[in-house]
């Protein structure tokens, strides 16, 4: 008789509950940095969801603690589904492994291992205490939600999202330099939402001189959000005038003279910046792409043609079609008549 086939320990029920935890984690966008976004679902021994939570703000209770608070005594003997391996260190809050053990959780299913040298080790401690632990479930989905913090933790630099708007023929401005407005009002509203989710918005001196952007997060009515990202201007030659809108006092601004994109990201990482929205012009975008420092691209392509004018992307170190920066596209949608394309650059393998 043939031996039985191995069975995947993560069943559809585990994936269903963990997918719910991934959805909960997204509520933390824009409020948890420099901490990760994390979601947690607590399921009682009878299979009923008794607690849900997410990490709501930096310095506040972690997702597991919030979910356990809702579950109360019904957590005992149950399962906790968490998007990130529970922490095993004491910072501004206590270790989540202690909260799980005190609550009597029998089983923990998590998606992504904690890459931090200090924060890691939660799974091992839980197993040592007799808790059944299963890791790596829906890791891909959970990593996408938490990609900014994971990039910072693993690579020691901020995660970079490059956003641009262009016409169908790839122009970001007309021949006379005008660029307002290429994209639709609905697209621009989404850009403000992107700004709300990041720690810093970066532009070069050329963009500041040409467009005099404010680089703030605002509502559709023009009301400034309470929380604003750090506005970063790369100005190596001191060209930005003191009257530039980006230098007003409604939001923090950092002017950098960093020599390269890598230097700028190191500078921002030292300031606690985890995520960056790159809104610079074609020269700055090309420099980031050439250095392999763009992690995600969001393009708003307007159904318009200019024929002449500034290209959306400058020199990016591509000399032949074989070297083109290809995107792994994960989303295409129509926004206010524009086409929004979102994807991640496909990393070329390093030469042997």
């Amino acid at each position: 008789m043939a031996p039985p086939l191995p069975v995947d320990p993560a069943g559809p029920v585990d994936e269903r509950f963990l997918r719910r935890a991934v959805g909960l984690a997204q509520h933390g966008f824009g409020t948890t940095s420099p901490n990760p976004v994390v979601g947690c679902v607590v399921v009682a021994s009878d299979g009923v969801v008794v607690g849900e939570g997410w990490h709501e703000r930096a310095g506040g209770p972690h997702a597991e603690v919030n979910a356990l608070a809702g579950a109360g005594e019904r957590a005992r003997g149950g399962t906790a589904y968490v998007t990130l391996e529970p922490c095993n260190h004491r910072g501004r809050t206590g270790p989540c492994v202690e909260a799980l053990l005190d609550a009597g959780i029998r089983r923990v299913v998590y998606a992504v291992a904690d890459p931090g040298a200090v924060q890691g080790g939660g799974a091992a401690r839980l197993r040592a205490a007799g808790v059944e632990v299963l890791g790596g479930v829906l890791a891909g989905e959970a990593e996408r939600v938490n990609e900014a913090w994971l990039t910072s933790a693993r690579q020691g630099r901020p995660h970079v999202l490059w956003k641009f708007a262009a016409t169908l023929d790839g122009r970001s401005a007309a021949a006379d330099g005008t660029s307002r407005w290429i994209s639709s009002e609905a697209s621009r509203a989404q850009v403000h939402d992107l700004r709300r989710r990041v720690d810093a918005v970066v532009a070069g001196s050329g963009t500041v001189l040409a467009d005099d952007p404010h680089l703030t997060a605002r509502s559709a009515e023009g009301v400034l959000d309470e929380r604003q990202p750090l506005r970063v201007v790369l100005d190596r030659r001191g060209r930005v005038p003191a009257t530039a809108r980006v230098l007003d006092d409604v939001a923090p601004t950092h002017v950098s003279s960093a020599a390269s994109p890598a230097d700028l990201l190191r500078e921002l990482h030292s300031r606690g910046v985890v995520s960056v929205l790159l809104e610079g012009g074609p020269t700055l975008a090309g420099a980031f792409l050439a250095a392999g420092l763009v992690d995600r691209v969001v393009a708003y392509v307007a159904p318009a043609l200019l024929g002449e004018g500034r290209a959306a992307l400058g020199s990016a170190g591509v000399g032949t079609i074989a070297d083109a920066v290809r995107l792994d596209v994960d989303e295409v949608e129509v926004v206010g008549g524009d086409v929004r394309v979102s994807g991640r650059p496909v990393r070329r393998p390093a030469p042997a």
Side-chain angles (χ1 to χ4, degrees):
M1 181 176 179
L5 293 173
V7 178
D8 185 352
V13 172
D14 287 333
E15 293 187 355
R16 176 163 60 90
F17 288 133
L18 196 44
R19 186 166 284 113
R20 170 61 182 166
V22 169
L24 291 170
Q26 298 180 57
H27 291 298
F29 283 145
T31 60
T32 64
S33 187
N35 295 343
V37 294
V38 183
C40 178
V41 174
V42 175
V43 178
S45 57
D46 59 2
V48 176
V49 174
V50 292
E52 294 185 335
W54 62 90
H55 184 37
E56 299 176 8
R57 58 180 177 83
H62 289 186
E64 297 94 320
V65 173
N66 286 330
L68 291 170
E73 281 301 311
R74 294 207 64 186
R76 194 162 300 278
T79 300
Y81 294 89
V82 197
T83 57
L84 185 66
E85 179 184 359
C87 67
N88 186 31
H89 81 290
R90 184 173 298 278
R92 285 186 283 183
T93 60
C96 287
V97 291
E98 288 186 4
L100 292 166
L101 292 173
D102 291 344
I105 288 291
R106 177 188 61 82
R107 183 169 179 259
V108 171
V109 180
Y110 70 89
V112 180
D114 191 329
V118 175
Q119 294 91 338
R125 183 174 172 190
L126 288 167
R127 289 190 181 99
V131 176
E132 179 186 345
V133 180
L134 177 61
V137 181
L138 294 187
E141 293 183 28
E143 290 214 5
R144 286 291 175 89
V145 169
N146 214 15
E147 61 183 342
W149 183 82
L150 288 169
T151 297
S152 178
R154 292 168 176 169
Q155 300 187 39
R157 65 163 177 85
H159 177 274
V160 177
L161 164 60
W162 174 40
K163 181 279 305 178
F164 71 94
T167 59
L168 198 59
D169 55 342
R171 305 294 178 177
S172 63
D176 64 355
T178 56
S179 60
R180 296 183 179 179
W181 293 105
I182 285 177
S183 59
S184 67
E185 184 176 343
S187 294
R188 298 196 299 273
Q190 284 197 357
V191 171
H192 285 283
D193 190 51
L194 291 175
R195 290 177 183 172
R196 293 182 185 98
R197 296 184 176 202
V198 299
D199 296 330
V201 178
V202 175
S205 58
T207 295
V208 173
L209 291 171
D211 299 334
D212 196 20
H214 208 202
L215 300 182
T216 51
R218 304 184 301 276
S219 68
E221 297 73 28
V223 179
L224 289 167
D225 287 5
E226 182 177 349
R227 178 195 177 274
Q228 292 290 334
L230 175 68
R231 300 177 295 183
V232 179
V233 179
L234 184 59
D235 185 17
R236 300 189 187 100
R237 292 177 284 171
R239 299 194 300 161
V240 175
T243 55
R245 292 203 304 158
V246 75
L247 298 179
D248 64 19
D249 59 0
V250 302
T253 302
H254 172 63
V255 179
S256 173
S257 58
S260 71
D263 290 338
L264 177 61
L265 292 184
R266 279 192 290 269
E267 189 177 294
L268 295 178
H269 182 71
S270 70
R271 296 172 64 100
V273 171
V274 169
S275 55
V276 161
L277 177 61
L278 181 62
E279 292 201 52
T283 301
L284 189 61
F288 269 81
L289 275 172
L293 294 174
V294 172
D295 300 294
R296 187 178 170 215
V297 177
V298 174
Y300 292 90
V301 182
L305 300 168
L306 287 175
E308 295 183 52
R310 185 175 64 200
L313 179 63
S315 175
V318 177
T320 179
I321 193 66
D323 294 334
V325 180
R326 304 284 181 176
L327 298 184
D328 180 7
V329 175
D330 55 36
E331 188 177 26
V332 178
E333 65 172 327
V334 176
V335 181
D338 302 329
V339 177
R340 179 183 188 269
V341 181
S342 172
R344 292 160 178 81
V346 177
R347 305 298 185 192
R348 290 193 292 266

